[in-house]
Amino acid sequence: MSRPPLLFLDVDGPLNPYAAQPERRPEGYTTLRVPTDSGISADRSSLSTRRRPLRVWLNPAHGPALLGLGYELCWATTWMAEANRWIAPTLGLPELPFVDFGDALFRERPDGVHWKTGPLVDYAAGRPFAWVDDEQSELDHAYVATHHEGPGLLHHVNPRLGLRETDFRALADFALARNTP
């Protein structure tokens, strides 16, 4: 039997609607305060000179919903391994594999393709995948179509809203099409 498709999960945008009105936590979300010296990407902590913890909004209902989609889940986030420490427990997710972006982390590409795209295609190695993120462009779609042998769904999520029911339906439809003989 073949393996299920991969679901590459970005945190900030899809799971943490960071661009929502700062004074209004979205309904169903809980607030997590992550110390800036917690081990998350150095670039993340330099986004602000403030020493206040990073505010992260997470919806605990997303974990069971993601687990029920028919994918093998994988972190595709600047949080990398730290997503298992800070994000997974709040969502009720088990420890997940993560893409280690290494030297590609935040490295701007001359062709305009997002710095995550190449490493995700390499990690998938031809296996079907969906990728939820708030920073994909048409250049990323073209790169995946050209460099990835299997089906790929690049699903943009509005960082003001995070994952919604329509996003879960689109992901479920893609997984169902891959898992149906």
Side-chain angles (χ1 to χ4, degrees), residues 25-30 58-61:
R25 180 177 65 201
E27 186 175 332
Y29 284 73
T30 187
L58 298 170
N59 186 332

Side-chain angles (χ1 to χ4, degrees), residues 8-82:
F8 290 125
L9 293 168
D10 182 30
V11 170
D12 297 315
L15 296 173
N16 170 29
Y18 68 89
Q21 293 179 343
E23 69 281 354
R24 296 198 59 209
R25 180 177 65 201
E27 186 175 332
Y29 284 73
T30 187
T31 301
L32 179 66
R33 300 282 180 192
V34 180
T36 54
D37 62 353
S38 65
I40 55 178
S41 168
D43 192 80
R44 176 182 306 284
S45 62
S46 68
L47 292 176
S48 171
T49 57
R50 297 174 295 176
R51 291 283 185 194
R52 293 188 319 189
L54 178 66
R55 182 221 7 111
V56 180
W57 284 329
L58 298 170
N59 186 332
H62 285 167
L66 289 165
L67 290 170
L69 287 174
Y71 287 90
E72 182 179 310
L73 305 179
C74 181
W75 296 118
T77 174
T78 58
W79 292 74
M80 291 190 280
E82 290 300 309

Side-chain angles (χ1 to χ4, degrees), residues 96-114:
L96 301 176
F98 65 94
V99 178
D100 184 344
F101 293 106
D103 291 342
L105 187 67
F106 298 118
R107 180 171 286 157
E108 194 170 322
R109 293 174 50 126
D111 60 3
V113 171
H114 194 281

